[in-house]
Amino acid sequence: MAKKNGITPPAELFTNDELQHIQNKHRKSVPVTQLIKSRNILVITVISMLIWMIVAIGYYGLSLNVPNLHGNDYLNCFLFGAIEIPSYISSWLLLRNCPRRLSHAGILALSGCVLLFMNLIPSNLSIFSTVLVLIGKLGNAWAYSMLYVYISELYPTPLRNTGVGVTSMASRTGSIISPYIVLLGSYQENLPFIVMGVLMVLSGIVILFLPETFNMPLPDTIDQMQIIKWCKSSHSDSTQTRENNVVILKEEML
């Protein structure tokens, strides 16, 4: 590369001390227990895990329920896969131009209400019911793809990977639960849609408790994290947060 650019590279790019410092820096990691040492971080983590789990239940539940819909199974399967293409494109546009919290709340509430509206559709309007389920899947895939960005923006740099990893792990629990919700259709045809619709509306309400991150700088330390209004940290929590920041900074400087 240097030869192509007409530049003579130095004989030694990094000294041994610099290489050792880089290696030590890569080895340093913030323990997962940091997620429970502050009340504010704990509440954000619990709410994020709940939302991840519910969104995963809706996403996989609607996908697994495709064979139970009216019409051609192959066509329905294709439509439920193709509907994710516009959802990912529109989620990119929303992330660039709209507030995170209100976007998620509106999408999840709309998706849940559409699924609940399924109970009012007569059995002879099978095509209309399938369209409603497609709209529900569109909104759910919409929210699923946007969650990765929103949740990562809530955590500070030292906890970002840990926070996203722990909270998104809850979605695996949702994917485990989703087949059992689909099996509720053996008792009543629309029961899975009722359960998933109620859960999505609930998640749309719960996500409003999280702070807004749109057009705001990413937090570099725990102190820079946005605080949930109804979860003000006590004096002991603030002291613990400052101590956690000092420990993290010392580890990064070693």
Side-chain angles (χ1 to χ4, degrees), residues 28-40:
K28 297 296 180 182
S29 60
V30 178
V32 69
T33 53
Q34 293 286 345
L35 295 175
I36 61 175
K37 288 186 177 181
S38 169
R39 184 187 307 172
N40 185 60

Side-chain angles (χ1 to χ4, degrees), residues 76-87 134:
N76 290 340
C77 186
F78 169 78
L79 291 176
F80 270 76
I83 200 67
E84 295 193 20
I85 298 176
S87 72
L134 276 171

Side-chain angles (χ1 to χ4, degrees), residues 21-71:
H21 174 73
I22 293 173
Q23 292 174 358
N24 291 335
K25 189 174 181 180
H26 283 303
R27 292 194 190 103
K28 297 296 180 182
S29 60
V30 178
V32 69
T33 53
Q34 293 286 345
L35 295 175
I36 61 175
K37 288 186 177 181
S38 169
R39 184 187 307 172
N40 185 60
I41 300 178
L42 176 61
V43 173
I44 289 177
T45 301
V46 171
I47 293 177
S48 300
M49 292 179 69
L50 178 63
I51 295 170
W52 269 114
M53 184 174 66
I54 292 176
V55 171
I57 288 175
Y59 182 85
Y60 292 103
L62 292 175
S63 299
L64 293 173
N65 198 55
V66 170
N68 298 328
L69 297 176
H70 299 282

Side-chain angles (χ1 to χ4, degrees), residues 135-155:
I135 296 174
K137 176 63 182 299
L138 172 67
N140 200 267
W142 214 344
Y144 207 131
S145 60
M146 293 170 61
L147 266 181
Y148 285 98
V149 176
Y150 181 37
I151 300 301
S152 65
E153 291 176 345
L154 292 173
Y155 289 98

Side-chain angles (χ1 to χ4, degrees), residues 208-229:
L208 292 174
F209 292 104
L210 292 176
E212 182 57 63
T213 61
F214 182 61
N215 282 340
M216 295 185 180
L218 291 176
D220 289 326
T221 63
I222 296 176
D223 282 335
Q224 294 177 359
M225 284 188 67
Q226 297 190 61
I227 299 176
I228 298 178
K229 294 181 179 179

